[in-house]
Amino acid sequence: MDDEVQQPEQYEVGTGMLCVFGRQLKLFRVRAGLDRARLGSLTGYSASTIASFEQGRRIPPPKFIDQADEVLQAGGVLIAGKEEVARAQYPAFFRDAAKLEAEAVELHVYANQAVPGLLQTEEYARAIFMMMRPPMYDELIDQRVSARLVRQEVLSSRDAPLASFVIDEAVLRRPIGGRGILRGQLEHILLMGQRRSVEVQVMPLDREENAGMAGPFTLIETKEGRRIAYAEVQNVSRLQIERDRVRALEAKYGIIRAQALTPRESLAYVEKLLGEP
């Protein structure tokens, strides 16, 4: 999933759910007779960070929300909004897909533009966001990188979904952020590909047939057995739930996997790329 890589919005923080949560946080803080510095000392944050939370300019992490609810005796009101606050860290067009991804039992990703978000290192992800045009504010870049790293926890959870990735060789050769960052990214892909719940395949550039030329997409299967497809191109994203369309992409993904190197061959190929000057 190129997921939230491409995006038109410049700065969403300060709107919607974040502002509502910020106002609630301030009301409970004032009711408790605490200034921002005191609340910050009790939760491990600076007064300026507390101000950013209250003004909806920064997304509070789940741990802070739990702490603030207890310290301010909010009776679960702040905790009740934790899930919606967490979703606010993603661009609007990706929030539904992110929720489905977090609850998936199977994830299958074809990527021919960039390394899939679930496999990106922090440095690679930051380089991706820094290339966005128009440029993104530094605070928004930090937010997006943090959100991406949180997303990746789904692959290391106890109930991790069965995940497969087919990555075009061009992606693995493109030095996003520089050769050093690319090397770290390739090493990370090797580590992820050794997990029992993760399979990584490479689509070599010398393949004369490639069924994925229409672009990247993701297939998601939920615990309820729903099968959903997600596709994104040029800031336009769409969740496909119509069975015929999802089935067509499932068939395409099967062909793509057959055309690519096997998982064992693919990891050996990534090692070969790491050995190139």
Side-chain angles (χ1 to χ4, degrees):
M1 192 182 303
D2 275 329
D3 40 64
E4 72 276 31
V5 168
Q6 302 176 40
Q7 54 194 298
E9 68 269 58
Q10 202 10 264
Y11 193 60
E12 292 181 334
V13 179
T15 61
M17 182 60 194
L18 294 182
C19 283
V20 173
F21 178 86
R23 287 194 291 268
Q24 290 178 331
L25 176 64
K26 182 176 181 179
L27 286 172
F28 281 117
R29 176 179 62 77
V30 172
R31 188 190 69 171
L34 302 178
D35 61 17
R36 288 169 175 165
R38 180 55 179 161
L39 176 58
S41 68
L42 292 173
T43 56
Y45 293 86
S46 66
S48 61
T49 299
I50 299 299
S52 294
F53 291 160
E54 292 183 349
Q55 295 163 8
R57 295 187 293 106
R58 187 170 178 178
I59 297 176
K63 182 179 179 181
F64 168 80
I65 296 176
D66 291 337
Q67 293 174 317
D69 195 276
E70 180 179 355
V71 168
L72 301 177
Q73 298 182 354
V77 173
L78 297 179
I79 292 176
K82 186 162 61 173
E83 182 176 341
E84 288 302 314
V85 168
R87 290 185 70 200
Q89 66 191 318
Y90 302 112
F93 69 79
F94 185 67
R95 288 171 191 162
D96 289 339
K99 186 175 188 298
L100 290 167
E101 181 183 79
E103 300 170 352
V105 294
E106 288 190 26
L107 286 168
H108 305 289
V109 184
Y110 173 63
N112 63 359
Q113 297 176 345
V115 172
L118 289 174
L119 297 180
Q120 290 179 7
T121 63
E122 180 176 353
E123 295 78 14
Y124 186 95
R126 186 171 299 279
I128 287 285
F129 289 123
M130 289 183 68
M131 292 190 306
M132 295 298 100
R133 295 296 183 269
M136 297 167 62
Y137 294 116
D138 289 344
E139 190 170 3
L140 184 56
I141 291 175
D142 291 341
Q143 173 193 319
R144 291 290 188 259
V145 172
S146 176
R148 183 152 296 180
L149 297 179
V150 169
R151 275 181 58 210
Q152 295 175 0
E153 293 175 3
V154 69
L155 295 183
S156 58
S157 66
R158 183 175 182 179
D159 299 320
L162 176 63
S164 70
F165 303 85
V166 181
I167 308 173
D168 195 277
E169 181 185 347
V171 170
L172 302 179
R173 290 186 175 277
R174 188 171 295 126
I176 299 296
R179 296 290 176 183
I181 288 178
L182 176 60
R183 183 174 183 82
Q185 179 62 72
L186 293 177
E187 291 173 345
H188 183 65
I189 288 173
L190 278 178
L191 290 175
M192 295 299 295
Q194 292 168 7
R195 296 189 179 190
R196 286 184 294 174
S197 61
V198 176
E199 289 191 341
V200 175
Q201 292 179 253
V202 174
M203 177 68 80
L205 284 171
D206 63 4
R207 285 293 193 259
E208 295 183 0
E209 294 183 343
N210 181 345
M213 296 302 291
F217 61 91
T218 296
L219 299 171
I220 304 169
E221 183 169 346
T222 69
K223 296 175 182 178
E224 299 77 26
R226 295 174 62 203
R227 293 183 175 181
I228 301 159
Y230 176 85
E232 175 188 330
V233 62
Q234 292 299 323
N235 302 328
V236 178
S237 62
R238 184 175 182 181
L239 284 171
Q240 301 277 6
I241 60 174
E242 298 87 351
R243 190 66 196 115
D244 288 346
R245 294 186 178 183
V246 175
R247 185 183 294 113
L249 285 175
E250 288 175 337
K252 177 179 289 190
Y253 190 73
I255 295 171
I256 290 172
R257 292 197 72 179
Q259 293 170 336
L261 298 175
T262 67
R264 184 184 297 273
E265 292 169 339
S266 296
L267 294 185
Y269 202 85
V270 174
E271 289 183 339
K272 175 186 173 184
L273 292 177
L274 278 168
E276 294 181 358

